[in-house]
Amino acid sequence: MVRIGLGIVLGASTLAQVVINEIHYNPDIRTERVEFIELHNAGDMAVDLAGWRFSSGVEFTFPAVVIPPGGYLVVAENPTSLKAKFGTDSVGPFSGNLSKYGERVVLRDAAGDITDEVEYQ
């Protein structure tokens, strides 16, 4: 465990360094199912996301997939559509969709602890 200011205690999973890096929530062609959330592993160790999940904004539980140090992973509304439009490999699909008006997106580790959260508008 790590203690930081104000007496807050963070579990070891908080140090995983996986962050929400980009959110593509309002496609230019509204009928295309190409919404995505990109994660970045800012740490110097690979992170296995098996059992991690998005619990707010969209719903998605990660399969056994590893983000290498400094690497990225895209989670798509529809991986086939995303690949066709942008040429990007991804995991998914996630359920639900990202609001064009903004909302909170929460990433939780396999223990259920919040590892990152972003509110966009």
Side-chain angles (χ1 to χ4, degrees), residues 25-60:
Y25 63 91
N26 194 14
D28 52 347
I29 300 172
R30 294 187 182 169
T31 57
E32 290 183 322
R33 298 188 57 221
V34 294
E35 292 184 347
F36 66 84
I37 301 169
E38 180 184 73
L39 301 179
H40 174 58
N41 179 1
D44 57 5
M45 297 182 66
V47 177
D48 183 354
L49 298 179
W52 287 42
R53 64 188 175 93
F54 286 114
S55 65
S56 182
V58 297
E59 297 291 325
F60 179 75

Side-chain angles (χ1 to χ4, degrees), residues 36-110:
F36 66 84
I37 301 169
E38 180 184 73
L39 301 179
H40 174 58
N41 179 1
D44 57 5
M45 297 182 66
V47 177
D48 183 354
L49 298 179
W52 287 42
R53 64 188 175 93
F54 286 114
S55 65
S56 182
V58 297
E59 297 291 325
F60 179 75
T61 300
F62 289 83
V65 61
V66 174
I67 303 180
Y72 296 86
L73 178 71
V74 174
V75 182
E77 172 187 24
N78 183 310
T80 303
S81 296
L82 191 75
K83 177 82 171 178
K85 177 146 182 128
F86 298 114
T88 303
D89 291 322
S90 61
V91 297
F94 57 68
S95 62
N97 57 17
L98 296 164
S99 172
K100 68 179 179 180
Y101 302 108
E103 64 188 316
R104 183 173 167 238
V105 177
V106 176
L107 177 65
R108 295 180 182 270
D109 65 15

